[in-house]
Amino acid sequence: MRLSCLSPRRLAAVTLCLLGAFTSAALAQTVNINPNTTYQTIRGFGGMNGAGWIPDLTPAQVETAFGNGSGQMGLSIMRMRIDPDRAKWPTQLPSAQRARALGATLFATPWTPPAAWKSNNSLINGGSLLSSRYGDYAGHLLSFASYMSSGNAALYAISLQNEPDYAPDYESCRWTAGEFVNFLRSQGSRFNGIRVIAPEALGFNKALSDPMLNDSTAVQHVDIIGGHLYGTSPSDYPLARSRGKELWMTEHFTDNTDANNWTAAMPVARELHSSMVSNYSAYVWWYIRRSYGLLTEAGTISKRGHVMAQFAKHVRPGFVRIAATEKPHSDVFVTAYKNSAGRLVVVAINTGTSQRRLVLTLQAGSARSIVKTRTTATHSNEFAGTYAVSGGRATAFVDPGSVNTFVSQKVRSAGRIPDLRRCGRKSERA
């Protein structure tokens, strides 16, 4: 085509189209995905069931939270409380049974030992576990695990204490690093049938966990280094990983803003991303159902829940995080995962105000197409296009203020493959 033969109007249109294509290509950034470089194994994403403190989840809400079908969140971990009064343990059983039947991993945390075993003879305001009661306390925790197992809700792991570095005026107990070491030395061998989580510190306080990791006896009896993110940000813990321990983020909520406020939901996505690149194997929100929770008080999935679902529905237990370009744009954050069958999952978060173009590079033959779902202020974990993979590359867009999940498909999807060639324009429906 000779541009000199075009009318001024036609020439302007062609120039605009070519300029758009050039600009879009110039802004495209490559995400290199390397399944041969692996990091942590993912155990799952979940939340706390507050039965005993707030009304229990209903059967329908358990299905919504832990099911993985249409309109469900795909959570795979339920955290629960160990009441100091064993007569109240049945409160935890119904929802735990339902979640376990859906394939969820269960773990439990005590907020306090029975008052008579503590230095302040109280369930609240801290106090510490008397060393003379270490055996009784280990038996208490193991009895809870046995009770749950007998009710078809077997625990995967059990924690020794919630936030041992905090003494609020509700159920609590203080532990020092030395007390954890002494407890594990004397009682740790009794937990050989269940994984032990410690220390679940308020801000992932490594000063509480370093000593147990460096003690030749105590380190044998702790399996998971758990911590919370209050007052801190996710960070790697090389010492724990060098000792063969998984890292679990076992409690956080970013703020108590309405869970459907999209501006407040996006930081949850960023924290999930940061937790994954910090080698955390699990991420557990505070209450599953709350005004600021993953479910609203009415039991519907909130925007925060849909953000969690972008990970939880697709990055299933047993997936392994793999190498991927983490920041292809200054405002785009990417992680990638694979399972044993070779399925690839890529999660891309765009915190900016502009649409971004990504070129995903895959190993040859690993996929014929990728399917995208997205959550934005106006979309909630919705299908957003199927993209062809050609020559090990697929090109896709991520909208401003969005969380996007790309899942590889061995067989070409029946959905329409977007035409990505037309003047570099967005090729999916808004």
Side-chain angles (χ1 to χ4, degrees):
M1 177 175 63
R2 293 178 60 191
L3 297 182
S4 60
C5 297
L6 298 177
S7 67
R9 179 179 293 181
R10 179 62 174 162
L11 178 60
V14 170
T15 302
L16 182 61
C17 185
L18 292 173
L19 181 60
F22 175 81
T23 302
S24 179
L27 292 177
Q29 295 293 334
T30 299
V31 176
N32 292 307
I33 300 165
N34 183 3
N36 295 322
T37 300
T38 59
Y39 302 102
Q40 77 273 29
T41 298
I42 304 302
R43 300 301 172 195
F45 303 87
M48 170 78 176
N49 182 33
W53 282 343
I54 62 174
D56 196 7
L57 296 170
T58 68
Q61 290 166 358
V62 174
E63 290 280 340
T64 299
F66 291 93
N68 200 25
S70 177
Q72 298 175 327
M73 207 183 323
L75 299 185
S76 50
I77 297 178
M78 176 185 277
R79 183 188 187 215
M80 66 194 76
R81 165 177 164 262
I82 303 175
D83 198 297
D85 181 357
R86 63 184 302 144
K88 297 179 181 178
W89 289 354
T91 304
Q92 303 298 332
L93 198 52
S95 288
Q97 288 173 327
R98 294 186 183 97
R100 185 71 187 88
L102 291 167
T105 292
L106 307 177
F107 80 96
T109 300
W111 266 248
T112 180
W117 301 350
K118 296 174 62 182
S119 61
N120 65 352
N121 196 34
S122 173
L123 298 178
I124 65 174
N125 295 318
S128 60
L129 175 65
L130 299 171
S131 59
S132 61
R133 293 292 192 168
Y134 281 5
D136 294 322
Y137 186 55
H140 173 75
L141 299 180
L142 289 167
S143 292
F144 181 83
S146 178
Y147 172 78
M148 297 301 291
S149 181
S150 67
N152 296 317
L155 301 181
Y156 179 85
I158 198 162
S159 173
L160 300 183
Q161 175 61 46
N162 177 73
E163 296 179 355
D165 48 349
Y166 187 44
D169 59 355
Y170 53 79
E171 286 185 3
S172 52
C173 184
R174 297 297 296 257
W175 289 62
T176 66
E179 286 168 341
F180 276 119
V181 169
N182 291 336
F183 181 86
L184 289 167
R185 282 176 174 171
S186 66
Q187 305 298 320
S189 61
R190 297 176 62 184
F191 291 84
N192 59 6
I194 188 170
R195 297 164 185 83
V196 171
I197 301 174
E200 284 207 85
L202 184 71
F204 240 112
N205 183 359
K206 295 177 177 64
L208 279 175
S209 47
D210 278 358
M212 70 178 81
L213 291 169
N214 286 321
D215 184 272
S216 61
T217 300
V219 72
Q220 299 176 46
H221 303 303
V222 62
D223 304 282
I224 298 164
I225 300 301
H228 303 172
L229 290 177
Y230 300 108
T232 191
S233 299
S235 62
D236 195 10
Y237 197 173
L239 174 62
R241 292 193 295 106
S242 73
R243 301 292 193 265
K245 312 306 177 184
E246 291 188 352
L247 305 176
W248 285 27
M249 200 299 288
T250 53
E251 182 191 313
H252 196 216
F253 70 99
T254 52
D255 60 70
N256 58 8
T257 305
D258 176 9
N260 281 317
N261 180 316
W262 182 243
T263 300
M266 280 300 287
V268 179
R270 278 296 314 277
E271 185 169 277
L272 277 158
H273 168 86
S274 296
S275 294
M276 294 299 99
V277 298
S278 295
N279 289 303
Y280 295 177
S281 290
Y283 181 99
V284 182
W285 189 255
W286 179 223
Y287 282 141
I288 294 172
R289 188 200 62 231
R290 204 64 166 167
S291 62
Y292 52 80
L294 307 176
L295 298 179
T296 68
E297 292 290 7
T300 59
I301 302 175
S302 69
K303 280 296 186 184
R304 293 182 183 189
H306 284 297
V307 165
M308 179 81 88
Q310 292 284 156
F311 288 84
K313 288 180 71 68
H314 307 288
V315 185
R316 303 299 295 168
F319 270 69
V320 176
R321 186 170 70 89
I322 60 177
T325 304
E326 183 184 344
K327 288 188 69 174
H329 295 272
S330 62
D331 48 12
V332 175
F333 303 85
V334 174
T335 52
Y337 313 83
K338 70 174 182 180
N339 69 1
S340 58
R343 169 158 286 188
L344 301 178
V345 175
V346 178
V347 182
I349 301 163
N350 183 353
T351 62
T353 57
S354 300
Q355 186 185 73
R356 297 301 192 187
R357 188 182 186 191
L358 303 178
V359 178
L360 307 179
T361 65
L362 315 173
Q363 285 189 335
S366 62
R368 294 190 62 188
S369 62
I370 55 173
V371 172
K372 173 185 168 183
T373 59
R374 65 178 169 183
T375 294
T376 69
T378 55
H379 302 86
S380 297
N381 213 260
E382 298 173 11
F383 171 77
T386 302
Y387 299 89
V389 177
S390 178
R393 295 162 65 90
T395 302
F397 293 92
V398 289
D399 293 338
S402 68
V403 186
N404 310 266
T405 307
F406 302 93
V407 180
S408 70
Q409 307 292 310
K410 287 289 187 182
V411 179
R412 196 177 299 276
S413 169
R416 183 175 72 87
I417 298 175
D419 181 358
L420 301 176
R421 299 167 297 178
R422 296 175 57 191
C423 295
R425 296 176 59 191
K426 176 180 173 183
S427 57
E428 61 191 38
R429 295 181 179 178

